[in-house]
Amino acid sequence: MTNDRIKEILLDLEACDIDFTVTQTGKESKRVNGFYKPDTHEIFIHNLNLKTDNMLIYTAIHEYTHHLLTIEKQENDPSYGCACKVHTQEFWAKFGNLLTIAEQKGYYSIGWENNPELKELTEDIKTNYLEKNGQLMQEFGKKLARAFDLCVESDIRYEDYIDRVLCLPRNAAKDIRKVGAVEVNPAIGFENMKVVASVKKKDDRAQVEQEFLQGGKSPSTVREMMKAKSAESRGLDPKTKLEKEKSRLEKTIAQLTQRLEYVEESLASL
C-alpha cells in the first residue's frame, strides 16, 4: 500500500483542513510501530513491523488520531502534543471511533471471529470470567454493605475494619459497594459495572449499560460519551470548560509555587 493511498483512506475517515504527510520508513523498530511529529504534522510508520495492510491501517489510524486531536487542541493550547500527555481517555475514544468508521467502510477489520480457537476462547472469557467475576463482585458489594451496617450497629469504625481487617483499599471497597447497591448486568464485566454504577439516575444507568452490551465501543468511548452528555446537561460550552480548566490550573500553579518557595527556604537553611 502506498503512502498516498494511506492518506486517502485517513481523509475518508475524517476530513482535516490542516495538511499532513504519511511516510513508511522501510524500517523495523522494537519500540513503536509508528509516531507522529506535531510540529511538522508528519506521520511515520515502521512498515517492516507490520505483516499486513490491515495492521498497517490500524497503526496509521492511531497516528492520524494524534494529528486530528493536535490540530483541535492546539487552537487553545499550543503545547498540546509536545509538552503534555497525549494518550488520554479522549484520545482512545477518538481512536476507537475512527476504527469503527474504518470497519464500516471496509478499510480495516479486527477479524477475531475468523479464528475459530480465538472465537471459542472469547466466548469462554466473556461467559466464564467477565460475567462470573461481575456476579461475584456484585455479591461482594452486598456483603460489604451488610458489613457496614453491622459496624454501625456495633460502634465499630468501618474504615478501620476495611483497612486493617479486610486489608482492602478504601476506594476499591467503595466501588465494590456501589456495584452491589444498584442493578447492573454482570455480563459487561466488573470494571464496566463500576462505570455504570457511578451514574446517579436509573434511566441514564440503563443507557450506559446498553452502550456496553451492544459492543463495538471501548470503555474510553463510553466514558467520553458520558462526559459530553454531562457537560451538555450542565450547559457547559467550550469557552466555559476552558475557563474552568484555566481556574484549576491557576490554583495548581499557585500551590506549586508556594511549595517551591518552602523547599527553597528549607534548602537555604540547611
Side-chain angles (χ1 to χ4, degrees):
M1 186 176 294
T2 66
N3 295 329
D4 288 342
R5 178 55 180 158
I6 295 172
K7 183 175 180 179
E8 181 183 325
I9 290 172
L10 296 177
L11 287 170
D12 191 39
L13 300 181
E14 183 172 324
C16 182
D17 293 333
I18 304 299
D19 196 22
F20 63 97
T21 61
V22 176
T23 302
Q24 296 178 73
T25 65
K27 299 177 181 178
E28 291 185 24
S29 171
K30 293 181 179 180
R31 294 181 62 251
V32 294
N33 290 328
F35 60 96
Y36 173 69
K37 286 189 173 182
D39 52 339
T40 56
H41 306 313
E42 294 176 280
I43 291 173
F44 292 93
I45 302 172
H46 296 312
N47 50 302
L48 293 190
N49 282 17
L50 310 168
K51 296 179 180 179
T52 65
D53 283 350
N54 200 49
M55 295 172 70
L56 184 69
I57 289 299
Y58 179 89
T59 299
I61 295 172
H62 180 108
E63 303 309 332
Y64 188 52
T65 305
H66 283 304
H67 176 67
L68 293 174
L69 284 179
T70 295
I71 297 308
E72 176 186 334
K73 298 294 183 181
Q74 282 186 345
E75 291 183 8
N76 299 304
D77 180 8
S79 71
Y80 184 87
C82 300
C84 65
K85 180 181 178 182
V86 291
H87 284 131
T88 60
Q89 177 175 282
E90 184 180 13
F91 170 86
W92 293 117
K94 179 78 171 177
F95 180 41
N97 287 335
L98 290 175
L99 286 175
T100 298
I101 296 170
E103 286 185 310
Q104 292 169 348
K105 294 195 172 189
Y107 297 132
Y108 171 76
S109 173
I110 188 170
W112 66 274
E113 307 96 328
N114 300 325
N115 184 311
E117 184 178 356
L118 181 57
K119 185 175 182 180
E120 183 180 352
L121 180 61
T122 301
E123 293 304 317
D124 180 33
I125 291 171
K126 285 185 174 182
T127 304
N128 295 318
Y129 295 88
L130 284 176
E131 185 170 354
K132 285 188 178 179
N133 182 57
Q135 292 171 344
L136 185 64
M137 298 306 284
Q138 209 166 38
E139 294 170 8
F140 190 4
K142 293 175 182 177
K143 299 290 184 183
L144 286 180
R146 181 56 183 157
F148 176 84
D149 292 340
L150 291 173
C151 285
V152 172
E153 291 172 13
S154 304
D155 292 324
I156 295 169
R157 187 73 183 188
Y158 175 73
E159 291 82 1
D160 193 21
Y161 171 75
I162 289 296
D163 288 345
R164 298 193 302 120
V165 178
L166 297 184
C167 298
L168 274 174
R170 293 189 187 186
N171 287 338
K174 184 179 179 181
D175 288 339
I176 296 168
R177 279 182 63 198
K178 279 184 179 180
V179 166
V182 297
E183 291 299 321
V184 189
N185 192 332
I188 63 177
F190 175 60
E191 291 301 319
N192 294 333
M193 291 170 74
K194 289 193 295 184
V195 175
V196 175
S198 69
V199 180
K200 294 181 179 180
K201 295 182 180 179
K202 184 176 181 180
D203 289 344
D204 290 343
R205 281 200 304 271
Q207 182 182 352
V208 175
E209 181 182 284
Q210 195 58 36
E211 292 291 341
F212 283 120
L213 287 170
Q214 287 173 350
K217 292 186 178 71
S218 69
S220 293
T221 299
V222 177
R223 286 190 179 95
E224 279 299 302
M225 178 200 73
M226 293 168 58
K227 185 178 175 183
K229 185 175 180 180
S230 175
E232 183 180 346
S233 66
R234 288 181 287 140
L236 293 181
D237 58 88
K239 182 180 178 181
T240 303
K241 288 170 65 178
L242 285 171
E243 287 173 345
K244 285 181 175 292
E245 184 179 2
K246 178 176 179 288
S247 177
R248 288 195 299 269
L249 289 171
E250 287 173 342
K251 288 179 181 178
T252 301
I253 291 169
Q255 291 170 349
L256 291 173
T257 300
Q258 186 178 11
R259 179 62 182 170
L260 178 60
E261 290 174 354
Y262 169 78
V263 171
E264 287 176 340
E265 289 174 0
S266 298
L267 285 171
S269 64
L270 292 177

